[in-house]
């Protein structure tokens, strides 16, 4: 029931829980115990998809190394991610295993371009994954999560800045039209 309502809302379920290894992508370096990302999130013009990678957590326990591939024709700025305790960062993020961190991320899990906002600090099950300056079409990056992704991990797109600006302009126009009618 919950899965159907998530799919109806435009969410994409990450099927990266059990078994199988997807195709390794050479543009992602090995870190810790992992030869590459544990799973890949690929963004295309039609939405998100996922594939499995190296099943070994980079910390040798549970942390998840996530590769992001932008195969769309536009810049990806952010997406929302939901899963069991995936944002419960405990200090052993991928940056502590040699990944180049960035000045915006304060968690140590962001890798070279990623930082996190809107984390539910009650359950640590949901948050927003953001890319500094956006992830350009054809570009890749990576980050880490505290727990492995599971069938319950959900990706939903967040509005692009241009879409938000267009919405704001429309609302201002409606407000101006209403003011003229009442005057």
């Amino acid at each position: 029931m919950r899965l159907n309502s998530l799919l109806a809302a435009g969410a994409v379920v990450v099927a990266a829980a059990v078994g199988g290894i997807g195709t390794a992508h050479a543009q992602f370096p090995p870190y810790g115990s992992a030869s590459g990302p544990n799973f890949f999130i690929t963004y295309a013009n039609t939405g998100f998809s996922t594939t499995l990678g190296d099943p070994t957590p980079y910390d040798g326990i549970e942390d998840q190394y996530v590769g992001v591939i932008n195969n769309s024709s536009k810049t990806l700025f952010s997406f929302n991610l939901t899963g069991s305790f995936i944002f419960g960062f405990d200090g052993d993020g991928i940056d502590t295993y040699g990944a180049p961190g960035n000045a915006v991320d304060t968690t140590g899990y962001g890798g070279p371009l990623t930082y996190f906002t809107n984390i539910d600090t009650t359950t640590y099950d949901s948050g927003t994954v953001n890319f500094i300056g956006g992830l350009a079409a054809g570009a890749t990056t990576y980050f880490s999560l505290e727990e492995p992704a599971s069938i319950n991990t959900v990706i939903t797109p967040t509005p692009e800045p241009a879409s938000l600006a267009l919405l704001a302009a429309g609302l201002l126009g409606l407000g101006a039209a209403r003011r003229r009618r009442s005057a």
Side-chain angles (χ1 to χ4, degrees):
M1 185 73 100
R2 180 172 182 248
L3 177 61
N4 289 338
S5 57
L6 287 171
L7 293 174
V12 177
V13 176
V14 176
V18 184
I21 298 174
T23 304
H25 294 276
Q27 67 265 38
F28 296 95
Y31 286 109
S33 299
S35 62
N38 302 122
F39 73 96
F40 300 92
I41 298 172
T42 303
Y43 180 59
N45 290 327
T46 57
F48 293 91
S49 65
T50 62
T51 54
L52 294 172
D54 181 346
T56 308
Y58 68 86
D59 69 345
I61 304 169
E62 86 288 359
D63 286 13
Q64 194 79 78
Y65 176 7
V66 181
V68 181
I69 305 164
N70 185 356
N71 282 341
S72 77
S73 59
K74 56 189 172 189
T75 301
L76 175 63
F77 289 95
S78 62
F79 56 84
N80 297 318
L81 196 57
T82 304
S84 182
F85 204 69
I86 59 177
F87 292 101
F89 304 137
D90 66 3
D92 60 348
I94 201 164
D95 298 354
T96 64
Y97 285 80
N102 66 72
V104 180
D105 175 55
T106 59
T107 67
Y109 286 73
L113 295 176
T114 309
Y115 65 100
F116 310 98
T117 57
N118 304 318
I119 294 173
D120 179 340
T121 57
T122 303
T123 63
Y124 300 97
D125 289 351
S126 64
T128 302
V129 177
N130 305 279
F131 303 106
I132 299 169
L135 186 61
T140 64
T141 194
Y142 54 90
F143 60 92
S144 59
L145 297 171
E146 184 54 40
E147 293 290 332
S150 69
I151 196 68
N152 297 322
T153 299
V154 176
I155 304 170
T156 55
T158 53
E160 294 180 31
S163 299
L164 292 174
L166 185 60
L167 175 63
L171 291 173
L172 287 173
L174 286 173
R178 183 175 181 192
R179 210 171 326 149
R180 276 191 220 140
R181 269 190 265 147
S182 63

